[in-house]
Structures are given as C-alpha cells and as structure tokens.
Amino acid sequence: MTDILITGVGGQGIVLASKLIARAAIDAGQHVRTSETIGMSQRGGCVVSHVRVGGVQSPMIPLGNADVIIGFEPAEAVRCLSYLKEGGAVIVAKKGVIPVTSSLGGGKYDPDEMIEYLKKNVDRLIVVDGDAICEQCGSAKVLNVALLGAAAAAGLPGISPDALEQAVASMVPAKFLEINKMAFALGMNTCK
Amino acid sequence: MAAELLMGNNAIALGAIRAGVKFVSGYPGTPSTEILETVAKRNPGDIHVEWSVNEKAALEAAAGAAYAGARALVTMKQVGMNVASDPLMSLAYVGVKGGLVIACADDPGPISSQTEQDTRTFAAFSKVPVFDPSSPEEAYEMIGDAFELSEKYGCPVFIRPTTRVCHGCASIDVSDEIKDCKPEGFIKDTKRWVIFPNASYNNHIKLEKRRETLGEELSDYKYNFITGDGKMGIAAGGISWANAMEAVTAADIDCKMLKISTPYPFPERLAVRFLEGLDKVLVLEELDPVIEKELVFLCGKYGLSTKIFGKLTGDTPCAGELTVEAAKASIAKFTGVDIPVAAAKTDMPKIPMRPPVLCAGCPHRASFYAVKQAMKGKKAVFSGDIGCYTLGNAMPLDMVDTCLCMGADITIAQGIHWIEPDTVNFAFIGDSTFFASGMTGVLNAVYNKCKIVIIVLDNSTTAMTGHQPHPGTGVTMMGENGTPADIPAVLRALGVGFVETVDPLDLKAAVDTVKRAADFGEIAAVVFKSPCIAVTKTDASLKVDSDKCVGCSRCVNEIGCPALTIKDKKAVIEPSLCTGCTLCSQLCPCNAIGRC
C-alpha cells in the first residue's frame, strides 16, 4: 500500500499529476483510489490530490500516512506536512507562489523559510528547481511532469520510473509530448 | 471489459449509458458537473444530452422524456435541487413511465457550495427513493439499480453522491454492453399525466404504501448489509462508510456494522436485525442525522433499549466532512479503545493564507474596478451572485456586498432600493446565471419601476464549473452551433431603457458607461463583454519598466492581480500568469507598465 499526496496552487497541473501516477499504478495491475480538488479552489487556492495505491477504503489519506508528498510550492508542502508518515519523503519545488493576500500586506511570505523548515523536519527531502527546468523546456506548464520525474528517480514505492514515463507518453497530448518528456528527464536528473 | 481510472461522476455517466439512458439534462454545479459532460463525451449516438437553462427546466424536460417511456437522467448539485423542487414534489405524485434518475451531488464541508443541505432529507421530504453510493465502484452499479427501481415502481429516484465520491477516482472494470431500452412513446392518459387534487389524495396513499413495500424490498438490497458481531454497532452510509471502514480496520476493532445505501425508504427489517442484541450504536454520517433518526425511531417503535449515538448526542461532528480522523476520534470515544491519530504539526512557520482569487487577467476584475471607480464617493450597494465573480468580494476589490443564491442579486438590489432609495443599487450577474434565473428578476424590476443598475458580466462561458456552454454561446452538448441568445436584446425586450455593451478592459470607456447608467433615472443595464481567459487566446505578458516604476504599489493595492507583486520596492509581473489584459498599465500613474 502506497499513499502519495500532491499539493500546490490551483492552476499548477496537480490533477494531471495525480492521474499520471494513478495510470502508472493501474498499468502495473494495482488498484488505485484518488481524490481531487475540483471547484472554487482551482482559482489560485490550495489544491490537494490524494493518490492511494493498493487495497484501501477511503479516497483520502489519513494524517501521518503519506509515503511521499510532492509539493508544487514550498508553503503548500509545509501546510500538508502532517500527512507525511515518519520516514516519508518530500519532493518540493523551490519557487514560491506569492498569494495576493501576502502582496496586500497580509503577512510576508518567504519561501526559503518554508524550505528551511522542511529540511529540519523531513528525513528525505528533495528540493527541485522546477523553474529552471520549465525555462529549459520553454513552458511553465511542465512543472508537474518535472516533479514527477524527480519523484520517480527518488523512488515512488510500488511505481517504476518506466511505468510513469509510459503514463506520460500515453496521457499527455501529442503536441506537448516532447517538452514533457524533456521535463521528465530533467526532473529525474535532479535526483541523480 | 477494461480497468479504467474513473471519477465517481464518470462512473455514474457510464453506468447510465450502460443502463440504456436516452435523455440526459442538467445544469452545471460542483461537484456534479462531470456526469453530464461524460455522457456527452461517450454518447453512443442515440442519447439526447443538454445543458438546460436551469435545474427546473432540466427536470421537467427529463420528466417529459420519461413520460414518453425513455430512461432519463438529470444532473445537478444540491442547491440546484432547490430550483428543481417544484417539479420534483409533483412528479413524485404523478410518477414516470421510463426510468427517471436524478443524480444530485451533495457537498459536505462545504467545499464549493452555499449550504450543507442533505439530498437524503429532500428524498424523504418528496417521498422519492434515494441511493447513496460510498465509492465510484458502487456508483457505477447503483445508477443501473436506480433505473430498474424507478421503472418497477414508476417513480423518480435519486442517486446522491457526495464530493469525495464524485471527485474520487477508482480503477473500475467498465462493461461495453448497453441495455436495449426502446421508448414506447407518449400514450395519452389524462388521469395519469394531469395532476388534480382528488388524484393526488389517492396517489399520496400509494406513496405511503410504496414506502413500506420498498423498505421491505430494500432490506435485501445487496448494498444494504450487516457485517461483524458483538454488543456494539456502527452504522454508516455514503463516503462515511468508507472512512468508518478505514478507521475500524486501522484500529483493528471488531464490532457489528450496518451499511445503509438506501436511506429512504429505510431498510427497516435489516436495520431491526442489526439493532437486536446491541447495547449501543454509533452512527457515522455527514450532513443531516438521517440514519441516526431512523434508528432512534426504530428503537422506539420496536421497544429496543439500544442506545444510539451520533450528531444528536454530540458524539460526531454536526457540520463539515466526517474525515477518517473524525471517524477515529468518534469510534475511540464510543468503544473506549485507544485509536492513535497522527497529530497535526504545531511548530510550523506561519503559512500564508491562500484563498481562491480571480485569475490574473480575469475581465471580472476590470468590471468590478470600473464600477468601483465610477461610484467613488457615492452611496452604493453592490449585490453579487454565484459564479467566479463571487470572488470580487476579496480585498482589495471588496465589491460584493450580498450573495444569496442564483439570480438573487437582481431582486435583492430591488428590495434594498425600496427601503433605501437614495442608494445606487448595483446587481452583478454572470451570463450563465442571467439565463438560469436572472431574467425574471429583471422583468420584476421593470414591471415595478424599480431603479437598479444591472451589470451583466458576460465572459461567454459558465466559468466556475469548468467552462460549459450556455444559451449565450449557442453551442449545445450535441455539438451544434446555433444562434447565441443576445443578452442586450433580451434586456431591451424585457423593457430596460438603458442597455449598453462595453469592454471592461477599456477602463475609461467602462467607467464612463457605468456613470451614465447610474445617472439614467430608471432601470439601466451595462453588459461587460470580454471572454474568460481560459476560453480565449490571451496576449503576451506585460513588463514593468523598473526605471519608471516609483514603487507606489498602486497596481498591487488597487486590483489585487495574482501576477503582480512588489520586489525590492518595484512592481514585478509574473510572466507565466500575466495575460496582457493591460488593466494595471491603465491605472499606473508613471506609465511604467507596457508590452515586453
């Protein structure tokens, strides 16, 4: 049984990331449950996807149960850290997304402070410079696949990097496949 | 048969197609929207699929299809049921010929809704049977069972998934087979299809008898069942069943369990068999205490001494979702077994709030800003409505003073006007909402000579629920491109004397138009027409000339665009978010923002 929590901000491609992991697991013959955030939060709010591989009842990961957290944004990774099990891994994008509330003076947000907290509290932390990968690929929309590449290289329990790459190939529209393959490879490299 | 990763909503759609559905109607609403979209996408070719203008129209049209003998499906969210309740209450009495299933999605939390109302309660109120799936797999099977039951008893039937079932995915083996259901056609029979008081008296008696018959029949339904043994029991339904099972399994607790998948009519014989011999029962359910009240009632009816714990006794949360953690806490208290729950971390740095906001480049931001500028220093109330534009309430726009339900902006503004005539009363309504329930309110204002200013935010789509077409687009779910309904023409036809269309991204023209509308002296309407950034090709992002920028922060503080931040005392535009709408450049006092 493997629980993977994906968290970030609406519009970052989180729902597709969870579908890719689920596809890879199903292709490997496993039963999967997921739970997505769809609705108002997709407008720049907090978005969390739960992916549960193996025989479980609830679509939601209980607190302290996630094997892996993939954070598309440092503060959102910290917000969801209570879901991580002891010894679990966190893959997190370095760049913060500054909320409007913060720009308007509702509390300063320093993404580096979040990364520091993660470093102190996570046994296995992988910080990915997703921005650099997106720049190399020429699209801000490949952050999700870049992070999946990093997660695949770091080892998602029960899911092989090949299966994940296969899922990307079968689910990403042909038009964007090349840059996504590139992002996946660059993501994997960050973990090597 | 192939395993597909299906969202609960996809599963309901594919289950309905398998059951031979021939007519599907609905109105978009989270978390129900993908049901109808999936039917349209996977339409074998002989299903009529439509987004109706609202839920009432959807249910009535589906009733007609079912009168003609077709299997019909109607989809909506829980608050949509309020709109459809008029036909529903009567349809329960009149009945149907072809199976009619209403897929009405509830939203515990609530996550994307105005209320935490419970369709199971609506089912009991309207005397319409209801199925309550606890997983996408069950939803796939139950929708077929719902059609069978509907046809067998000639009554409409509910299936009510909740958000975690609707938007939860599971790998499901999907059958390619489709049940062969050929509609007989409409057979004239006024005694049957025309509702009259004396017939309703007799039908009421039939409805009560049917409740008893069904309660008995559903006691043997495969998704209503008892497991385990002992002196303590747990009863649950819907997603709470899944969460209860997760908690019970994790804690390794052995007790008698009752799963209720048809909360109305309640499977009485099965429930009594569950209660017998039990000292106490914990009921785990979200929203209303439906199962709990039924069990309390049965204990009274059969003189059982079993104690029932749940929402009514304060042993489970009375509002919000029943998470696995909440289930564990309630079960631990109930059983006295210590169930470890991972504690939420408390030593975290301060995490910024991240409420949903209008997207960067959203034309609604410009519309709200224009009205705000036009009304500077004037006494005005801004009534808002349901849609993305409800987010206009956030700072710094702060332009939504009221929001109640679909269409209410136009009518609430009228009530405030009559009590406070010296205030300019604005009513903001989106294009889809205007068609759904705004038009009657406009006529009400015209008829009663009420001076309000209507602002139609026409972004050419139903944006909040994921960009569905509507009458103003002319596009249908059958893939046709018809003539778009003309909002200004509708407003004029209803008798509005001042109707002007303007692009909200042209700030000066927009402010000027609003001022003239407010000064018109009678009901006036401004249609702000600019497409949603998600359905149109956006422009290249803008850039701040840091030599010109004096760091006044006016752009950030006035419009709250997520693409704008201040870094090292200069405005910065995030290029991946900016759509080049130019609103910020139009209000920059230093002319520092322009094309790259």
Side-chain angles (χ1 to χ4, degrees):
Chain A
M1 206 180 85
T2 305
D3 282 343
I4 302 158
L5 191 107
I6 311 172
T7 177
V9 179
Q12 285 189 307
I14 289 159
V15 174
L16 177 62
S18 83
K19 287 202 166 135
L20 289 167
I21 296 176
R23 179 81 260 164
I26 290 174
D27 289 345
Q30 310 207 59
H31 187 269
V32 178
R33 284 193 190 285
T34 75
S35 182
E36 313 286 0
T37 311
I38 295 170
M40 205 175 220
S41 289
Q42 285 181 300
R43 306 282 177 268
C46 314
V47 167
V48 181
S49 278
H50 300 241
V51 182
R52 312 198 71 192
V53 183
V56 293
Q57 296 274 350
S58 173
M60 309 286 288
I61 300 171
L63 291 178
N65 236 65
D67 297 277
V68 178
I69 290 178
I70 305 176
F72 282 50
E73 207 284 329
E76 297 313 313
V78 173
R79 204 192 299 277
C80 287
L81 202 57
S82 301
Y83 283 99
L84 193 68
K85 71 160 60 151
E86 239 169 87
V90 173
I91 290 106
V92 66
K94 199 167 114 188
K95 188 183 172 185
V97 177
I98 314 288
V100 175
T101 48
S102 178
S103 301
L104 290 169
K108 198 170 145 18
Y109 168 37
D110 177 11
D112 292 340
E113 187 193 350
M114 300 293 159
I115 299 279
E116 283 310 310
Y117 179 80
L118 291 171
K119 277 183 186 163
K120 276 183 210 139
N121 289 276
V122 176
D123 293 339
R124 190 135 184 259
L125 177 72
I126 295 149
V127 182
V128 180
D129 189 349
D131 223 22
I133 296 177
C134 288
E135 213 161 285
Q136 265 179 283
C137 297
S139 167
K141 302 216 184 293
V142 297
L143 177 68
N144 52 5
V145 171
L147 288 171
L148 285 191
L156 285 170
I159 299 164
S160 72
D162 286 351
L164 211 48
E165 205 173 352
Q166 194 62 45
V168 172
S170 70
M171 287 179 70
V172 170
K175 213 162 59 164
F176 305 111
L177 187 55
E178 276 317 306
I179 56 167
N180 275 284
K181 276 185 168 172
M182 187 176 164
F184 191 82
L186 289 168
M188 280 193 77
N189 279 342
T190 61
C191 273
K192 277 179 182 163
Chain B
M1 295 266 265
E4 279 191 64
L5 181 72
L6 292 182
M7 205 186 256
N9 283 345
N10 305 142
I12 291 170
L14 297 186
I17 293 173
R18 180 172 71 154
V21 74
K22 290 288 176 286
F23 180 98
V24 182
S25 56
Y27 187 78
T30 310
S32 71
T33 313
E34 299 82 5
I35 304 173
L36 190 142
E37 288 180 324
T38 306
V39 177
K41 210 158 141 192
R42 306 278 285 254
N43 192 345
D46 61 348
I47 305 174
H48 172 80
V49 189
E50 68 170 49
W51 283 127
S52 306
V53 291
N54 62 27
E55 293 85 353
K56 174 172 150 69
L59 178 54
E60 289 158 352
Y67 288 0
R71 288 194 163 186
L73 174 70
V74 193
T75 76
M76 63 192 68
K77 70 182 297 178
Q78 89 284 31
V79 285
M81 194 62 248
N82 303 335
V83 178
S85 63
D86 195 0
L88 175 77
M89 298 306 290
S90 299
L91 190 62
Y93 278 65
V94 170
V96 292
K97 185 164 75 177
L100 189 149
V101 178
I102 305 162
C104 183
D106 285 351
D107 186 23
I111 299 169
S112 288
S113 298
Q114 304 94 300
T115 67
E116 278 205 296
Q117 68 189 65
D118 194 325
T119 298
R120 297 175 304 163
T121 300
F122 228 122
F125 175 49
S126 58
K127 305 180 194 302
V128 168
V130 58
F131 287 80
D132 186 13
S134 61
S135 66
E137 297 95 313
E138 277 188 8
Y140 181 65
E141 297 294 330
M142 276 186 192
I143 181 84
D145 299 337
F147 274 113
E148 293 297 326
L149 190 84
S150 173
E151 253 163 37
K152 185 175 172 187
Y153 289 93
C155 62
V157 171
F158 275 116
I159 181 167
R160 81 104 200 195
T162 52
T163 305
R164 301 301 180 188
V165 173
C166 291
H167 291 162
C169 300
S171 31
I172 299 176
D173 288 327
V174 178
S175 162
D176 295 330
E177 280 171 33
I178 295 177
K179 190 179 161 87
D180 188 20
C181 299
K182 205 171 160 16
E184 184 192 24
F186 181 71
I187 311 289
K188 291 191 183 191
D189 181 353
T190 54
K191 280 204 183 76
R192 185 171 181 187
W193 302 124
V194 180
I195 195 163
F196 264 117
N198 60 346
S200 292
Y201 170 80
N202 290 321
N203 281 337
H204 189 184
I205 294 169
K206 280 186 201 158
L207 286 178
E208 296 305 334
K209 286 223 169 88
R210 186 176 74 205
R211 180 175 52 78
E212 283 172 33
T213 312
L214 269 174
E216 172 57 26
E217 180 175 325
L218 291 169
S219 287
D220 296 321
Y221 181 49
K222 64 181 168 182
Y223 291 117
N224 290 326
F225 56 81
I226 298 168
T227 65
D229 225 328
K231 288 276 171 202
M232 290 188 290
I234 294 174
I239 196 67
S240 297
W241 171 261
N243 289 346
M245 287 300 289
E246 180 94 21
V248 165
T249 310
D252 205 14
I253 287 170
D254 203 13
C255 66
K256 202 172 176 184
M257 295 192 69
L258 172 68
K259 181 177 195 290
I260 295 293
S261 296
T262 58
Y264 180 88
F266 202 70
E268 185 166 319
R269 174 166 46 84
L270 181 78
V272 171
R273 185 153 70 77
F274 167 72
L275 289 170
E276 276 167 354
L278 289 180
D279 294 335
K280 56 179 186 173
V281 171
L282 175 69
V283 184
L284 296 172
E285 60 190 323
E286 291 171 328
L287 306 176
D288 291 346
V290 171
I291 299 171
E292 185 181 354
K293 278 187 177 170
E294 289 285 356
L295 294 182
V296 170
F297 164 74
L298 290 179
C299 286
K301 181 175 172 181
Y302 291 90
L304 302 171
S305 59
T306 316
K307 280 232 170 336
I308 311 295
F309 296 87
K311 288 169 185 279
L312 298 171
T313 55
D315 290 274
T316 61
C318 69
E321 289 192 271
L322 188 94
T323 59
V324 174
E325 285 75 32
K328 279 182 182 170
S330 295
I331 293 170
K333 187 181 167 199
F334 174 72
T335 58
V337 175
D338 184 35
I339 306 175
V341 176
K345 295 199 184 294
T346 52
D347 63 337
M348 288 184 179
K350 194 166 174 257
I351 305 169
M353 298 266 293
R354 203 186 291 279
V357 288
L358 292 171
C359 302
C362 174
H364 296 334
R365 176 177 293 104
S367 300
F368 283 123
Y369 187 66
V371 176
K372 193 172 184 174
Q373 290 306 103
M375 285 298 108
K376 230 176 189 169
K378 296 217 169 92
K379 205 174 157 198
V381 174
F382 308 108
S383 289
D385 212 302
I386 310 288
C388 283
Y389 52 104
T390 315
L391 298 172
N393 76 320
M395 297 306 270
L397 289 171
D398 188 20
M399 282 294 285
V400 179
D401 294 324
T402 78
C403 180
L404 185 70
C405 64
M406 295 271 290
D409 62 306
I410 291 179
T411 22
I412 283 183
Q414 294 169 39
I416 297 176
H417 167 79
W418 291 122
I419 303 305
E420 217 178 288
D422 62 335
T423 303
V424 187
N425 271 287
F426 280 85
F428 290 87
I429 189 161
D431 41 354
S432 188
T433 311
F434 176 80
F435 292 115
S437 51
M439 296 186 292
T440 46
V442 175
L443 189 59
N444 192 65
V446 171
Y447 169 50
N448 292 299
K449 303 201 178 334
C450 184
K451 192 190 147 196
I452 57 168
V453 184
I454 297 163
I455 304 287
V456 183
L457 303 166
D458 182 0
N459 62 355
S460 306
T461 189
T462 317
M464 179 55 97
T465 44
H467 310 102
Q468 290 73 33
H470 60 65
T473 67
V475 177
T476 74
M477 290 309 271
M478 299 304 284
E480 294 140 333
N481 279 309
T483 309
D486 183 335
I487 295 175
V490 171
L491 287 164
R492 285 188 197 103
L494 289 171
V496 181
F498 181 107
V499 181
E500 286 198 22
T501 303
V502 63
D503 179 355
L505 296 171
D506 181 347
L507 184 59
K508 199 171 162 296
V511 173
D512 174 64
T513 310
V514 173
K515 279 183 178 163
R516 286 188 293 110
D519 291 340
F520 183 62
E522 290 173 31
I523 179 170
V526 176
V527 179
F528 279 127
K529 196 164 174 64
S530 182
C532 171
I533 55 148
V535 298
T536 189
K537 202 170 156 19
T538 56
D539 283 332
S541 73
L542 301 187
K543 210 171 170 198
V544 179
D545 182 337
S546 56
D547 292 336
K548 286 188 188 168
C549 177
V550 296
C552 70
S553 301
R554 183 172 151 90
C555 51
V556 169
N557 293 339
E558 290 277 298
I559 56 175
C561 173
L564 278 167
T565 49
I566 299 290
K567 207 171 175 187
D568 303 328
K569 297 193 174 160
K570 300 276 180 187
V572 182
I573 291 174
E574 168 59 45
S576 66
L577 292 175
C578 178
T579 65
C581 82
T582 75
L583 179 63
C584 57
S585 72
Q586 292 176 61
L587 56 90
C588 173
C590 307
N591 216 5
I593 305 173
R595 300 268 171 216
C596 293

